Every structure is written in structure tokens, then in C-alpha cells.
Amino acid sequence: GFLFGVYLLQNIFVFDQFTTYMSLFAFFAYMQGMMGGEQKAVSPKNAEASASDAAVKAGAAVLLAVLLVSVQYAVNYKPLRANLALLGAFRERNIEGLPRVFAAYQKALAYHSLGDYEIREQLAQFSISLFGAEGADLELKQKVFDYVIDQLKQSQKENTLDPRPPLFLGAVYSRAGLFNEAKESFNRALTLSPRKQQIYFEAADVYIKEKDYAKAEELLEKAFRFDERFNEARVNLVAVYILNGKQEQGDALLIEKFGKANIAFPVLAQVYALRKDYPRLLEIWK
């Protein structure tokens, strides 16, 4: 009773997971086993039937053991080895270790475990940071790019209704300077999740890189209207207003929410630096 009560209590605070669900049904199975029927008198006929039942049970136990080992290998061992490889990738913090990081990601994905989806997203983030790493080998960058594109396309194929694979794919393309491919991926993500603001932010960034501020403004205005309480959406829109020469509109949005126009957001520092508006930049840094 106590175990069942604890299970119900934890479900108030967290979503059910496979591990807790498995424990629940193991508990039910235990209770069922404890509630066996009455013992029957043993006769020669019953003894023969019991021997036959024992043989069947022994065979079932062997089969169950084989099945259990197979399941444990797929559900526990392979994800464990993949996670250990992934942790190895996180430990490297210098330029010299970048090839080992890439090898660790490859090793993690070679297990084809339940965690492949998450590992690919971590790999995408690694590739994005690698593109901007000074001193990194160009051949390594190309190898990582080819590999991560292939892996993200695999995630996209496996999860056709999930917007995250095309979102990550677009981010990698954008960082690599392949803007047409990036826009195509972001459009796919928006088709799957037309109100997800983060996709609009990423897509607008591509147009900003192309200096198409009007299109970026259109996307960010739409994202802002979905939820005007979200500060990141507001500030991103202000940033593109500033880039598009609409300083007064940008100031009005900031004053509406924060009571003043000079707010310490990194993106505002970036756009003022880009426009060489040094008085405003100084106020942001202050």
C-alpha cells in the first residue's frame, strides 16, 4: 500500500516515465503472485500433471531469461555505453581535443540506442560551435558538417511530424552560410509547428545575415504577436527595428514593457555596435 501511495504521489509532480511505469506493473505482478489459489490434494494423476507443468515452467523461465537479457542489452546497456561516449565528448575543452570530440559523437551514435535523437541534437550544437572556432582544422569542419547533416536528416526521416530536426538542420545550414537550405528547413519546421517562436527567431536570423531586414521584421512581428509577454520575442523585434532604421518604434516597445529604452540585452549591444551607434552602445554596457 505504501509503495502504491508513493507512486500516486510522484505522479502529482512529474510525468510518468518508463522506469516508474515498469516498477508499478512489477508491483502488480508481485501482488498477483501473492494471491495464489488454494492448494489441491496431491494424487498420482496430479503429480504427473505437476511434473509436466514444472517442465513447461522451466522452459518458460529459460525463454524469459533470454528475452530479459536481450531487452536489458537494448534498453540499458546500449544507451549506457552511448551516454558514456557522449560524456567523453563533453569533457574535451580545447582545440586539440576537437577530433576526439567528433570521434566520441560517432562512437555514441554507433550504438544505435534509444538516445540517438538527443545525441544528434548535441552533435548539431557542437558543429555550430565548431564553425566559429578559430584554429580548428578545415577538413575536420567539413567532416563534421557532412556527418551532422546526414544524422539530422535521419532524425527528420524517423520523426516526420517533429519540428526539432528541421529546426536544428536549419541552424547548422545557417551557421555554415548555406542560407537557401536553411530557409527551406525552417519553412518545413514552421509547417509542422506554425506558432513556435524559436523557429521564427532562427529564420529571421538568416534574413538578417542576408541584410533583408524587411523580411526579418515580418517574421519577428508575427512571432511577437503570438505572445507579447515573452521578452526575447520583444527584444528580437526591437533589434530588427533598429537595423531597419526604425529606432522610435523599437524604443516604444521597450518603454512599454520596461519603462526605458536602454535595456541590458546582449542583442541590443550587437545591433548598436553593428550600426556604430556608440552613445546607445555605451548606455547598454553601463
Side-chain angles (χ1 to χ4, degrees):
F2 178 76
L3 181 62
F4 189 58
V6 169
Y7 173 79
L8 292 177
L9 181 64
Q10 68 93 30
N11 270 357
I12 297 174
F13 302 101
V14 297
F15 287 111
D16 207 358
Q17 301 182 44
F18 179 74
T19 50
T20 53
Y21 210 50
M22 184 169 61
S23 300
L24 175 67
F25 278 90
F27 173 67
F28 286 158
Y30 172 75
M31 294 301 296
Q32 176 65 28
M34 294 294 291
M35 297 168 62
E38 297 180 358
Q39 296 291 329
K40 296 182 179 179
V42 178
S43 64
K45 185 175 181 180
N46 287 339
E48 184 179 341
S50 296
S52 176
D53 288 346
V56 171
K57 289 178 180 179
V62 171
L63 181 62
L64 182 61
V66 172
L67 179 62
L68 182 61
V69 169
S70 300
V71 170
Q72 290 294 319
Y73 177 75
V75 174
N76 293 105
Y77 179 76
K78 288 174 67 176
L80 172 64
R81 299 304 301 176
N83 284 339
L84 290 175
L86 183 61
L87 288 174
F90 292 159
R91 292 192 188 102
E92 296 287 349
R93 300 291 182 182
N94 51 60
I95 292 294
E96 293 75 16
L98 291 177
R100 292 191 293 273
V101 173
F102 181 41
Y105 278 112
Q106 289 177 304
K107 181 179 179 181
L109 287 167
Y111 287 103
H112 302 292
S113 71
L114 300 173
D116 281 358
Y117 199 66
E118 171 67 21
I119 296 170
R120 289 168 184 153
E121 292 186 358
Q122 294 291 340
L123 173 63
Q125 294 181 19
F126 164 68
S127 70
I128 290 170
S129 64
L130 178 63
F131 294 148
E134 294 183 7
D137 182 67
L138 292 178
E139 184 179 352
L140 176 64
K141 289 184 179 182
Q142 186 62 51
K143 285 182 179 178
V144 172
F145 174 77
D146 293 339
Y147 185 71
V148 72
I149 292 298
D150 179 66
Q151 290 295 321
L152 289 174
K153 284 183 176 179
Q154 183 64 27
S155 285
Q156 189 169 266
K157 182 179 178 181
E158 292 170 358
N159 304 275
T160 57
L161 298 179
D162 190 343
R164 287 178 67 84
L167 173 58
F168 276 92
L169 194 58
V172 173
Y173 277 134
S174 176
R175 193 67 181 83
L178 299 174
F179 298 141
N180 289 333
E181 290 84 349
K183 286 185 279 189
E184 182 180 341
S185 292
F186 290 137
N187 286 337
R188 176 182 175 85
L190 285 172
T191 300
L192 296 170
S193 185
R195 295 180 63 87
K196 187 174 180 63
Q197 290 169 298
Q198 186 63 39
I199 304 173
Y200 288 91
F201 301 160
E202 295 289 347
D205 185 60
V206 175
Y207 288 102
I208 290 173
K209 289 174 180 176
E210 293 183 324
K211 300 188 185 304
D212 187 350
Y213 301 136
K215 181 61 178 179
E217 181 181 316
E218 177 188 332
L219 289 170
L220 292 175
E221 280 184 339
K222 189 173 183 179
F224 175 62
R225 300 307 173 200
F226 287 144
D227 186 358
E228 297 185 6
R229 299 168 300 174
F230 187 26
N231 286 344
E232 185 177 355
R234 181 181 295 268
V235 174
N236 285 342
L237 179 56
V238 170
V240 79
Y241 277 159
I242 296 168
L243 290 172
N244 217 8
K246 299 179 179 180
Q247 183 72 58
E248 290 185 2
Q249 284 182 249
D251 287 349
L253 276 181
L254 292 173
I255 292 170
E256 177 186 47
K257 181 64 181 288
F258 305 106
K260 57 182 180 178
N262 292 322
I263 306 296
F265 283 101
V267 67
L268 297 182
Q270 291 171 9
V271 296
Y272 286 134
L274 188 63
R275 288 183 58 83
K276 299 183 180 180
D277 187 343
Y278 299 126
R280 286 277 191 149
L281 177 60
L282 181 59
E283 289 301 316
I284 295 296
W285 279 116
K286 284 181 179 179

